[in-house]
mmCIF file of all heavy atoms in Angstrom:
data_model
loop_
_atom_site.group_PDB
_atom_site.id
_atom_site.type_symbol
_atom_site.label_atom_id
_atom_site.label_comp_id
_atom_site.label_asym_id
_atom_site.label_seq_id
_atom_site.Cartn_x
_atom_site.Cartn_y
_atom_site.Cartn_z
ATOM 1 N N ASP A 280 16.901 24.633 37.832
ATOM 2 C CA ASP A 280 17.030 24.092 36.484
ATOM 3 C C ASP A 280 15.677 23.633 35.952
ATOM 4 O O ASP A 280 14.653 23.716 36.643
ATOM 5 C CB ASP A 280 18.047 22.948 36.445
ATOM 6 C CG ASP A 280 17.661 21.785 37.359
ATOM 7 O OD1 ASP A 280 16.499 21.747 37.850
ATOM 8 O OD2 ASP A 280 18.512 20.906 37.592
ATOM 9 N N LEU A 281 15.677 23.136 34.734
ATOM 10 C CA LEU A 281 14.434 22.731 34.081
ATOM 11 C C LEU A 281 13.717 21.630 34.851
ATOM 12 O O LEU A 281 12.484 21.642 34.965
ATOM 13 C CB LEU A 281 14.738 22.276 32.651
ATOM 14 C CG LEU A 281 13.552 21.827 31.795
ATOM 15 C CD1 LEU A 281 12.546 22.959 31.630
ATOM 16 C CD2 LEU A 281 14.031 21.349 30.425
ATOM 17 N N LYS A 282 14.468 20.687 35.392
ATOM 18 C CA LYS A 282 13.858 19.576 36.129
ATOM 19 C C LYS A 282 13.030 20.079 37.310
ATOM 20 O O LYS A 282 11.958 19.545 37.616
ATOM 21 C CB LYS A 282 14.919 18.608 36.637
ATOM 22 C CG LYS A 282 14.335 17.402 37.392
ATOM 23 C CD LYS A 282 15.402 16.490 37.921
ATOM 24 C CE LYS A 282 14.795 15.292 38.658
ATOM 25 N NZ LYS A 282 13.909 15.682 39.774
ATOM 26 N N TYR A 283 13.512 21.122 37.975
ATOM 27 C CA TYR A 283 12.786 21.689 39.113
ATOM 28 C C TYR A 283 11.383 22.117 38.689
ATOM 29 O O TYR A 283 10.390 21.809 39.364
ATOM 30 C CB TYR A 283 13.568 22.875 39.661
ATOM 31 C CG TYR A 283 12.811 23.706 40.684
ATOM 32 C CD1 TYR A 283 12.705 23.302 42.010
ATOM 33 C CD2 TYR A 283 12.192 24.905 40.311
ATOM 34 C CE1 TYR A 283 12.009 24.064 42.944
ATOM 35 C CE2 TYR A 283 11.501 25.675 41.238
ATOM 36 C CZ TYR A 283 11.414 25.248 42.543
ATOM 37 O OH TYR A 283 10.717 25.999 43.460
ATOM 38 N N PHE A 284 11.284 22.806 37.567
ATOM 39 C CA PHE A 284 9.980 23.297 37.116
ATOM 40 C C PHE A 284 9.120 22.169 36.549
ATOM 41 O O PHE A 284 7.891 22.206 36.677
ATOM 42 C CB PHE A 284 10.174 24.416 36.093
ATOM 43 C CG PHE A 284 10.794 25.650 36.672
ATOM 44 C CD1 PHE A 284 12.099 25.994 36.366
ATOM 45 C CD2 PHE A 284 10.085 26.447 37.557
ATOM 46 C CE1 PHE A 284 12.678 27.129 36.910
ATOM 47 C CE2 PHE A 284 10.653 27.585 38.114
ATOM 48 C CZ PHE A 284 11.964 27.927 37.792
ATOM 49 N N ILE A 285 9.745 21.169 35.935
ATOM 50 C CA ILE A 285 8.978 20.010 35.471
ATOM 51 C C ILE A 285 8.353 19.285 36.661
ATOM 52 O O ILE A 285 7.196 18.853 36.604
ATOM 53 C CB ILE A 285 9.868 19.058 34.649
ATOM 54 C CG1 ILE A 285 10.265 19.706 33.328
ATOM 55 C CG2 ILE A 285 9.142 17.745 34.368
ATOM 56 C CD1 ILE A 285 11.278 18.915 32.524
ATOM 57 N N ASP A 286 9.108 19.165 37.752
ATOM 58 C CA ASP A 286 8.567 18.530 38.963
ATOM 59 C C ASP A 286 7.394 19.330 39.515
ATOM 60 O O ASP A 286 6.372 18.751 39.929
ATOM 61 C CB ASP A 286 9.665 18.407 40.023
ATOM 62 C CG ASP A 286 10.712 17.366 39.675
ATOM 63 O OD1 ASP A 286 10.433 16.518 38.796
ATOM 64 O OD2 ASP A 286 11.806 17.396 40.263
ATOM 65 N N ILE A 287 7.528 20.654 39.553
ATOM 66 C CA ILE A 287 6.427 21.502 40.010
ATOM 67 C C ILE A 287 5.195 21.263 39.143
ATOM 68 O O ILE A 287 4.063 21.123 39.642
ATOM 69 C CB ILE A 287 6.819 22.997 39.948
ATOM 70 C CG1 ILE A 287 7.937 23.319 40.932
ATOM 71 C CG2 ILE A 287 5.600 23.894 40.185
ATOM 72 C CD1 ILE A 287 7.521 23.335 42.371
ATOM 73 N N LEU A 288 5.394 21.205 37.837
ATOM 74 C CA LEU A 288 4.302 21.018 36.891
ATOM 75 C C LEU A 288 3.595 19.687 37.104
ATOM 76 O O LEU A 288 2.360 19.629 37.212
ATOM 77 C CB LEU A 288 4.833 21.110 35.463
ATOM 78 C CG LEU A 288 3.893 20.688 34.329
ATOM 79 C CD1 LEU A 288 2.704 21.633 34.242
ATOM 80 C CD2 LEU A 288 4.654 20.651 33.002
ATOM 81 N N THR A 289 4.349 18.588 37.155
ATOM 82 C CA THR A 289 3.735 17.263 37.216
ATOM 83 C C THR A 289 3.093 16.986 38.567
ATOM 84 O O THR A 289 2.181 16.158 38.660
ATOM 85 C CB THR A 289 4.777 16.172 36.916
ATOM 86 O OG1 THR A 289 5.885 16.287 37.824
ATOM 87 C CG2 THR A 289 5.290 16.298 35.490
ATOM 88 N N GLU A 290 3.528 17.675 39.606
ATOM 89 C CA GLU A 290 2.991 17.444 40.951
ATOM 90 C C GLU A 290 1.836 18.376 41.294
ATOM 91 O O GLU A 290 1.211 18.217 42.347
ATOM 92 C CB GLU A 290 4.110 17.612 41.989
ATOM 93 C CG GLU A 290 5.206 16.554 41.878
ATOM 94 C CD GLU A 290 6.449 16.924 42.677
ATOM 95 O OE1 GLU A 290 6.392 17.929 43.427
ATOM 96 O OE2 GLU A 290 7.470 16.220 42.537
ATOM 97 N N ASN A 291 1.545 19.353 40.403
ATOM 98 C CA ASN A 291 0.522 20.358 40.735
ATOM 99 C C ASN A 291 -0.367 20.645 39.529
ATOM 100 O O ASN A 291 -0.046 21.494 38.690
ATOM 101 C CB ASN A 291 1.193 21.658 41.194
ATOM 102 C CG ASN A 291 1.946 21.512 42.494
ATOM 103 O OD1 ASN A 291 1.372 21.620 43.571
ATOM 104 N ND2 ASN A 291 3.243 21.257 42.395
ATOM 105 N N ALA A 292 -1.476 19.922 39.456
ATOM 106 C CA ALA A 292 -2.445 20.155 38.375
ATOM 107 C C ALA A 292 -3.365 21.306 38.778
ATOM 108 O O ALA A 292 -4.584 21.164 38.877
ATOM 109 C CB ALA A 292 -3.242 18.890 38.107
ATOM 110 N N ASN A 293 -2.743 22.455 39.041
ATOM 111 C CA ASN A 293 -3.472 23.633 39.511
ATOM 112 C C ASN A 293 -2.690 24.877 39.097
ATOM 113 O O ASN A 293 -1.786 24.808 38.261
ATOM 114 C CB ASN A 293 -3.659 23.570 41.031
ATOM 115 C CG ASN A 293 -2.339 23.310 41.760
ATOM 116 O OD1 ASN A 293 -1.338 23.976 41.510
ATOM 117 N ND2 ASN A 293 -2.332 22.324 42.650
ATOM 118 N N GLY A 294 -3.022 26.005 39.702
ATOM 119 C CA GLY A 294 -2.381 27.255 39.314
ATOM 120 C C GLY A 294 -0.880 27.279 39.491
ATOM 121 O O GLY A 294 -0.176 27.984 38.750
ATOM 122 N N LEU A 295 -0.367 26.512 40.431
ATOM 123 C CA LEU A 295 1.080 26.446 40.619
ATOM 124 C C LEU A 295 1.743 25.772 39.423
ATOM 125 O O LEU A 295 2.751 26.262 38.894
ATOM 126 C CB LEU A 295 1.388 25.678 41.907
ATOM 127 C CG LEU A 295 2.859 25.549 42.324
ATOM 128 C CD1 LEU A 295 3.532 26.914 42.392
ATOM 129 C CD2 LEU A 295 2.956 24.837 43.670
ATOM 130 N N GLY A 296 1.169 24.657 38.973
ATOM 131 C CA GLY A 296 1.681 23.993 37.781
ATOM 132 C C GLY A 296 1.508 24.846 36.538
ATOM 133 O O GLY A 296 2.365 24.839 35.640
ATOM 134 N N GLU A 297 0.407 25.594 36.483
ATOM 135 C CA GLU A 297 0.174 26.485 35.343
ATOM 136 C C GLU A 297 1.280 27.529 35.253
ATOM 137 O O GLU A 297 1.837 27.792 34.180
ATOM 138 C CB GLU A 297 -1.194 27.161 35.491
ATOM 139 C CG GLU A 297 -2.361 26.192 35.368
ATOM 140 C CD GLU A 297 -3.690 26.800 35.798
ATOM 141 O OE1 GLU A 297 -3.773 28.050 35.961
ATOM 142 O OE2 GLU A 297 -4.648 26.041 35.974
ATOM 143 N N ASP A 298 1.612 28.138 36.383
ATOM 144 C CA ASP A 298 2.683 29.137 36.418
ATOM 145 C C ASP A 298 4.006 28.529 35.964
ATOM 146 O O ASP A 298 4.746 29.121 35.166
ATOM 147 C CB ASP A 298 2.821 29.705 37.832
ATOM 148 C CG ASP A 298 3.809 30.856 37.911
ATOM 149 O OD1 ASP A 298 5.015 30.618 37.722
ATOM 150 O OD2 ASP A 298 3.381 31.997 38.177
ATOM 151 N N ALA A 299 4.324 27.342 36.464
ATOM 152 C CA ALA A 299 5.587 26.689 36.113
ATOM 153 C C ALA A 299 5.696 26.442 34.610
ATOM 154 O O ALA A 299 6.755 26.646 34.013
ATOM 155 C CB ALA A 299 5.729 25.375 36.879
ATOM 156 N N LEU A 300 4.587 26.028 33.996
ATOM 157 C CA LEU A 300 4.610 25.736 32.561
ATOM 158 C C LEU A 300 4.645 27.010 31.732
ATOM 159 O O LEU A 300 5.489 27.162 30.843
ATOM 160 C CB LEU A 300 3.379 24.920 32.173
ATOM 161 C CG LEU A 300 3.243 24.602 30.680
ATOM 162 C CD1 LEU A 300 4.366 23.686 30.209
ATOM 163 C CD2 LEU A 300 1.882 23.979 30.375
ATOM 164 N N TRP A 301 3.736 27.937 32.016
ATOM 165 C CA TRP A 301 3.551 29.096 31.149
ATOM 166 C C TRP A 301 4.653 30.130 31.272
ATOM 167 O O TRP A 301 5.063 30.733 30.286
ATOM 168 C CB TRP A 301 2.214 29.774 31.446
ATOM 169 C CG TRP A 301 1.031 28.885 31.247
ATOM 170 C CD1 TRP A 301 0.945 27.787 30.450
ATOM 171 C CD2 TRP A 301 -0.248 29.025 31.869
ATOM 172 N NE1 TRP A 301 -0.311 27.228 30.536
ATOM 173 C CE2 TRP A 301 -1.070 27.967 31.402
ATOM 174 C CE3 TRP A 301 -0.799 29.926 32.782
ATOM 175 C CZ2 TRP A 301 -2.388 27.799 31.807
ATOM 176 C CZ3 TRP A 301 -2.110 29.768 33.185
ATOM 177 C CH2 TRP A 301 -2.898 28.712 32.691
ATOM 178 N N PHE A 302 5.150 30.345 32.493
ATOM 179 C CA PHE A 302 6.066 31.466 32.718
ATOM 180 C C PHE A 302 7.496 31.046 33.052
ATOM 181 O O PHE A 302 8.370 31.907 33.126
ATOM 182 C CB PHE A 302 5.526 32.365 33.836
ATOM 183 C CG PHE A 302 4.113 32.806 33.591
ATOM 184 C CD1 PHE A 302 3.153 32.720 34.581
ATOM 185 C CD2 PHE A 302 3.727 33.294 32.355
ATOM 186 C CE1 PHE A 302 1.847 33.121 34.353
ATOM 187 C CE2 PHE A 302 2.424 33.706 32.114
ATOM 188 C CZ PHE A 302 1.480 33.610 33.113
ATOM 189 N N GLN A 303 7.734 29.759 33.270
ATOM 190 C CA GLN A 303 9.085 29.316 33.599
ATOM 191 C C GLN A 303 9.613 28.330 32.557
ATOM 192 O O GLN A 303 10.608 28.592 31.885
ATOM 193 C CB GLN A 303 9.126 28.693 35.000
ATOM 194 C CG GLN A 303 8.542 29.563 36.093
ATOM 195 C CD GLN A 303 9.201 30.932 36.186
ATOM 196 O OE1 GLN A 303 10.411 31.057 36.009
ATOM 197 N NE2 GLN A 303 8.423 31.959 36.460
ATOM 198 N N ILE A 304 8.929 27.207 32.399
ATOM 199 C CA ILE A 304 9.397 26.188 31.452
ATOM 200 C C ILE A 304 9.487 26.752 30.046
ATOM 201 O O ILE A 304 10.458 26.507 29.319
ATOM 202 C CB ILE A 304 8.471 24.949 31.490
ATOM 203 C CG1 ILE A 304 8.634 24.225 32.833
ATOM 204 C CG2 ILE A 304 8.758 23.998 30.337
ATOM 205 C CD1 ILE A 304 7.669 23.079 33.054
ATOM 206 N N SER A 305 8.494 27.540 29.647
ATOM 207 C CA SER A 305 8.489 28.077 28.282
ATOM 208 C C SER A 305 9.577 29.124 28.073
ATOM 209 O O SER A 305 9.845 29.516 26.931
ATOM 210 C CB SER A 305 7.118 28.682 27.956
ATOM 211 O OG SER A 305 6.851 29.803 28.788
ATOM 212 N N ASP A 306 10.241 29.571 29.156
ATOM 213 C CA ASP A 306 11.323 30.544 29.041
ATOM 214 C C ASP A 306 12.697 29.893 28.874
ATOM 215 O O ASP A 306 13.704 30.590 28.799
ATOM 216 C CB ASP A 306 11.363 31.449 30.276
ATOM 217 C CG ASP A 306 10.454 32.660 30.123
ATOM 218 O OD1 ASP A 306 9.940 32.872 29.011
ATOM 219 O OD2 ASP A 306 10.255 33.385 31.111
ATOM 220 N N PHE A 307 12.747 28.573 28.817
ATOM 221 C CA PHE A 307 14.022 27.874 28.747
ATOM 222 C C PHE A 307 14.563 27.729 27.323
ATOM 223 O O PHE A 307 15.487 26.968 27.104
ATOM 224 C CB PHE A 307 13.910 26.492 29.390
ATOM 225 C CG PHE A 307 14.239 26.481 30.863
ATOM 226 C CD1 PHE A 307 13.288 26.841 31.797
ATOM 227 C CD2 PHE A 307 15.503 26.130 31.301
ATOM 228 C CE1 PHE A 307 13.587 26.848 33.161
ATOM 229 C CE2 PHE A 307 15.817 26.126 32.649
ATOM 230 C CZ PHE A 307 14.855 26.492 33.584
ATOM 231 N N GLU A 308 13.985 28.450 26.374
ATOM 232 C CA GLU A 308 14.422 28.378 24.975
ATOM 233 C C GLU A 308 14.469 26.926 24.500
ATOM 234 O O GLU A 308 15.463 26.449 23.949
ATOM 235 C CB GLU A 308 15.789 29.056 24.798
ATOM 236 C CG GLU A 308 15.752 30.536 25.138
ATOM 237 C CD GLU A 308 17.069 31.233 24.889
ATOM 238 O OE1 GLU A 308 18.008 30.568 24.406
ATOM 239 O OE2 GLU A 308 17.162 32.430 25.170
ATOM 240 N N LEU A 309 13.368 26.246 24.728
ATOM 241 C CA LEU A 309 13.270 24.837 24.356
ATOM 242 C C LEU A 309 13.180 24.672 22.856
ATOM 243 O O LEU A 309 12.595 25.502 22.158
ATOM 244 C CB LEU A 309 12.021 24.216 24.996
ATOM 245 C CG LEU A 309 11.923 24.281 26.522
ATOM 246 C CD1 LEU A 309 10.518 23.893 26.961
ATOM 247 C CD2 LEU A 309 12.953 23.381 27.171
ATOM 248 N N THR A 310 13.729 23.592 22.365
ATOM 249 C CA THR A 310 13.495 23.232 20.975
ATOM 250 C C THR A 310 12.083 22.654 20.882
ATOM 251 O O THR A 310 11.521 22.206 21.900
ATOM 252 C CB THR A 310 14.500 22.178 20.498
ATOM 253 O OG1 THR A 310 14.258 20.951 21.224
ATOM 254 C CG2 THR A 310 15.931 22.643 20.724
#
């Protein structure tokens, strides 16, 4: 779920967090 990727993002200020934000979180059709 979204929380899983938010946790990845906030815990990894590196390429792992970048992937979570750019290619996963942004795919959740967020408002």
